């Protein structure tokens, strides 16, 4: 089995996989991790990924691969990881960047719509984290990145379906991070506020908003440092939420989404 030293000295360097390979944040993370590494973009079948490799190669990636990946089909997760590892080698860094915001108004009336948000943003994430963590533990190395959100810190009326999915994922990932202590596997849990990007087009930015690049900078710093646990983005949100727990409930309505 490869060790951290041997993985970094492989011809293609460490293997970085972005699950949700067309995600703005995922691609921003991939761009920063690309130099000297093999990058795999695993994304939903049917989308155009032909233009995504060139920027990563220009950033210094040793190789860029693309792979079909349907996050919602949990039964295929292990097979997808098998194909990736048979093609490029063991996964060293896995970034779970897939997810949906959904439509809160529809989800309030449509049980299937609500279930879809919960499935993609919580159940599928937990399943893939489990699959990847077991493989990394057997090699005693690896980094996982699971994106939480401040939306899950106090689930609000405006987006309680999405927020509850993130709350579930946050709890699952936090517990897993503790369980992985001493195994050689690091689980980073970014907890960004409102991110200005494609997913939030048309929405009014909340206080302490960030961009995909700012999120990626914070995530990559933690990945490279192999520091497990939560990272608030921006850091001021940690203070904001700590103070908010001490003030009356109505103030929460002005918290970031």
């Amino acid at each position: 089995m490869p060790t951290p030293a041997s993985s970094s000295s492989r011809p293609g360097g460490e293997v970085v996989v972005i699950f949700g390979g067309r995600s703005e944040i995922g691609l921003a993370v991939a761009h920063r991790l690309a130099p000297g590494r093999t990058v795999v973009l695993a994304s939903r079948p049917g989308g155009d990924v032909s233009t995504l490799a060139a920027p990563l190669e220009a950033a210094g990636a040793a190789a860029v691969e693309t792979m079909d990946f349907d996050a919602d089909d949990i039964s295929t997760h292990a097979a997808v990881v098998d194909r990736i590892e048979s093609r490029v080698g063991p996964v060293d860094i896995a970034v779970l960047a897939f997810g949906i915001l959904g439509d809160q108004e529809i989800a309030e009336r449509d049980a299937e719509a609500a279930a879809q948000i919960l499935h993609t943003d919580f159940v599928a994430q937990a399943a893939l984290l489990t699959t990847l963590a077991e493989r990394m533990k057997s090699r005693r190395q690896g980094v996982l990145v699971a994106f939480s959100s401040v939306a899950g810190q106090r689930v609000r009326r405006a987006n309680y379906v999405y927020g509850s999915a993130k709350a579930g994922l946050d709890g699952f990932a936090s517990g897993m991070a503790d369980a992985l202590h001493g195994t050689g596997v690091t689980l980073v849990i970014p907890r960004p506020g409102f991110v200005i990007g494609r997913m939030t087009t048309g929405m009014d930015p909340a206080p302490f908003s960030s961009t995909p690049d700012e999120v990626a900078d914070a995530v990559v710093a933690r990945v490279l440092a192999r520091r497990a646990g939560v990272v608030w983005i921006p850091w001021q949100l940690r203070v904001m939420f700590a103070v908010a727990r001490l003030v009356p409930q109505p103030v929460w309505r002005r918290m970031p989404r």
Side-chain angles (χ1 to χ4, degrees):
M1 295 293 180
T3 64
S6 62
S7 66
S8 63
S9 61
R10 291 198 300 256
E14 290 184 316
V15 173
V16 178
V17 184
I18 309 297
F19 292 94
R22 291 192 293 272
S23 155
E24 281 182 286
I25 294 175
L27 287 169
V29 170
H31 189 272
R32 287 157 175 75
L33 291 174
R37 298 181 174 90
T38 294
V39 179
V40 180
L41 302 178
S43 55
R44 184 180 292 277
D48 183 12
V49 294
S50 61
T51 62
L52 302 181
L56 296 174
E57 291 167 348
V64 180
E65 301 276 350
T66 60
M67 178 80 64
D68 285 346
F69 168 66
D70 184 351
D72 288 326
D73 191 351
I74 292 173
S75 66
T76 66
H77 286 185
V80 170
V81 177
D82 282 340
R83 287 199 297 274
I84 291 170
E85 296 199 329
S86 66
R87 184 182 298 182
V88 298
V91 176
D92 297 294
I93 302 170
V95 181
L96 279 63
F98 61 88
I100 58 175
L101 187 60
D103 188 309
Q104 173 67 30
E105 292 185 6
I106 294 175
E108 288 183 23
R109 304 188 304 270
D110 186 330
E112 290 188 4
Q116 182 62 67
I117 296 169
L118 295 170
H119 183 82
T120 302
D121 292 343
F122 176 30
V123 178
Q125 305 259 354
L128 183 56
L129 282 171
T130 301
T131 295
L132 291 164
E134 284 304 297
R135 295 182 186 230
M136 289 179 173
K137 282 194 295 184
S138 71
R139 299 190 284 262
R140 297 198 61 79
Q141 67 151 330
V143 182
L144 297 165
V145 178
F147 283 92
S148 179
S149 169
V150 296
Q153 295 308 293
R154 199 287 180 181
V155 180
R156 305 176 312 125
R157 165 69 181 84
N159 62 348
Y160 69 78
V161 180
Y162 172 79
S164 62
K166 286 298 187 180
L169 177 61
D170 193 285
F172 181 92
S174 296
M176 177 178 271
D178 290 342
L180 290 172
H181 181 73
T183 67
V185 182
T186 301
L187 175 51
V188 179
I189 310 167
R191 196 181 279 168
F194 188 100
V195 180
I196 302 169
R198 286 197 308 263
M199 195 173 181
T200 55
T201 298
M203 300 171 65
D204 294 330
F208 299 107
S209 295
S210 57
T211 65
D213 283 332
E214 289 169 336
V215 174
D217 284 340
V219 170
V220 170
R222 291 294 288 267
V223 167
L224 296 180
R226 277 13 186 206
R227 287 183 58 203
V230 172
V231 52
W232 293 81
I233 308 167
W235 64 266
Q236 290 93 336
L237 285 173
R238 181 175 185 175
V239 177
M240 187 176 180
F241 270 76
V243 172
R245 292 189 179 96
L246 305 176
V247 298
Q249 183 78 4
V251 175
W252 281 101
R253 296 172 185 165
R254 297 191 291 276
M255 291 290 114
R257 286 171 289 190

